[in-house]
Amino acid sequence: WLQSQSRYQNVPVFCIDGSSIPADLPFSTTNDMSLKLVKYLTEEWKELVRFLEKNSGKKMSLDRLDEVVNNVLAVRKAWWECYELRKAIPCQMSSKEMWPCITPGWWMADEKESVIFYENLKQELQERISKGIGAIPNEKYRLLWAELPPWHSLNVPTYFEKFGAVCVVESDIYYPQPPPPIPDTCHDPYEKLAWNLYWAWSRLNEKAQKESGSHMVQQYLEWSRDYCCDGAILHFLVSCHPMTFPLAHTREVLLKYAHIPSLVIEGDIIDERMYTEARMKMQAESFAETLESHKKLRQKEGFPVAHHTTL
């Protein structure tokens, strides 16, 4: 996308090589390979700044960068704490309510008001937990949504609510990572960014080596357990192959390790032509029967379930 934008607007583009983290490298603050990787990523961020300074004719303030990086880390921490609260049974906030709330965390993370936003949201969620208020009146099933949402039709999860199913966690790419364990000796904002990126792409590598083989797929497996999910909705996107490609493997992993069934729906994040309301409602109805049968099986075999059913 950005290379196309560069061509159309006749402006230079810079790509950070930030994804070159080996799948078998677990997160570590002392491992020699990890330290070399962080150094490499740090240089990538510095190269980006040199690129920006050259093309803008303006000098960057290192103090301002450090202020922004610290604020971003604070925003992501508060946002992640909101997600942690959604593990409560019943879940107080569904995916259709959380999706609009990602804006401060992704595109306004440099603003101090964004920290306040998530702190207020966290307070509201805690209050709902204390009063036993759920996102829907009678929660019966808990669903995981992967990957990106249909931004043109955010009401899709409501089709499952009539069967007592609520989407309790969603979208790996929009999910705030747990606070990165940046070494106390690290005061360089470039290096903080490097540690944060390394943490995001490697923190699940060790578990993934034993199960799914992929940190992204492993994230969904961990969620299915942590949020006590009964099923998953896998949104295959026509226009975003990188995020869609792992979902076929995700379906197999969830079924193999957690006995969780998945519903595959085809669509797009922005193109409404891929979406048919009647078809979605029909898929939701058939999946409700699948959820119940698998839930009984999981319950019988000793897998944890949030809401028990009659065997």
Side-chain angles (χ1 to χ4, degrees), residues 46-62:
K46 290 181 178 179
E47 185 63 30
L48 169 62
V49 171
R50 286 191 285 269
F51 168 84
L52 294 172
E53 288 180 336
K54 176 183 176 181
N55 287 281
S56 68
K58 298 179 181 179
K59 192 73 175 174
M60 193 202 69
S61 167
L62 193 62

Side-chain angles (χ1 to χ4, degrees), residues 33-47:
M33 179 62 73
S34 299
L35 295 176
K36 289 179 180 178
L37 178 62
V38 169
K39 182 179 179 181
Y40 176 79
L41 294 174
T42 300
E43 288 303 315
E44 285 287 296
W45 287 111
K46 290 181 178 179
E47 185 63 30

Side-chain angles (χ1 to χ4, degrees), residues 9-80:
Q9 295 186 300
N10 193 29
V11 293
V13 62
F14 182 90
C15 295
I16 292 180
D17 181 16
S19 306
S20 55
I21 297 172
D24 59 351
L25 178 64
F27 181 85
S28 170
T29 57
T30 57
N31 180 281
D32 286 344
M33 179 62 73
S34 299
L35 295 176
K36 289 179 180 178
L37 178 62
V38 169
K39 182 179 179 181
Y40 176 79
L41 294 174
T42 300
E43 288 303 315
E44 285 287 296
W45 287 111
K46 290 181 178 179
E47 185 63 30
L48 169 62
V49 171
R50 286 191 285 269
F51 168 84
L52 294 172
E53 288 180 336
K54 176 183 176 181
N55 287 281
S56 68
K58 298 179 181 179
K59 192 73 175 174
M60 193 202 69
S61 167
L62 193 62
D63 290 339
R64 173 58 180 154
L65 176 62
D66 191 48
E67 179 184 343
V68 167
V69 170
N70 290 335
N71 196 81
V72 169
L73 294 175
V75 168
R76 295 292 169 83
K77 179 177 181 294
W79 185 13
W80 172 75

Side-chain angles (χ1 to χ4, degrees), residues 285-304:
E285 283 194 39
S286 61
F287 192 51
E289 298 177 7
T290 303
L291 286 174
E292 182 63 19
S293 61
H294 275 78
K295 186 173 183 176
K296 288 181 178 179
L297 178 62
R298 293 175 65 246
Q299 188 175 319
K300 184 177 180 180
E301 295 187 3
F303 284 84

